[in-house]
Amino acid sequence: YRQLNYTEPKIIMTTSRDCSNRLQQFMQELRLIFPNSYKLNRGNLVLKELVEIAKEKEFTDIILLHENKGQPDGMTISHLPFGPT
């Protein structure tokens, strides 16, 4: 790995705005699965702003969790700096 310039992943995890308790619990469980992951309160940030912040802080991935009617149902994974998804 040293020759390939391997770096340990650094992941931001966030949710959609005004998420339910069920989605927050799901995110906590995912954070236990993915090492070196950090929770980010999204606030009013749009995805494009979130990507720019992650690039500045040298994060390698963004995981955005979605829900529908209180049920977690989607996950957007973006690998930085190459692409949004």
Side-chain angles (χ1 to χ4, degrees):
Y1 287 113
R2 177 178 273 169
Q3 295 171 351
L4 297 175
N5 294 330
Y6 174 77
T7 58
E8 191 170 320
K10 191 174 173 186
I11 302 169
I12 290 180
M13 296 187 97
T14 189
T15 61
S16 55
R17 295 183 186 100
D18 299 324
C19 65
S20 67
N21 287 336
R22 181 173 272 172
L23 187 61
Q24 288 178 0
Q25 290 173 349
F26 181 63
M27 184 173 65
Q28 286 298 105
E29 291 177 13
L30 282 178
R31 286 188 58 224
L32 294 173
I33 294 171
F34 294 110
N36 209 16
S37 62
Y38 301 90
K39 176 184 175 187
L40 177 72
N41 290 330
R42 185 172 170 191
N44 290 328
L45 294 174
V46 294
L47 189 57
K48 187 174 184 177
E49 294 171 347
L50 186 62
V51 168
E52 293 302 319
I53 291 170
K55 284 181 182 179
E56 288 174 10
K57 303 287 184 181
E58 297 181 356
F59 280 91
T60 59
D61 298 282
I62 297 174
I63 298 177
L64 178 63
L65 302 172
H66 305 273
E67 68 181 346
N68 187 14
K69 297 179 184 175
Q71 296 290 333
D73 69 345
M75 180 185 311
T76 303
I77 301 173
S78 298
H79 184 65
L80 302 174
F82 301 112
T85 55

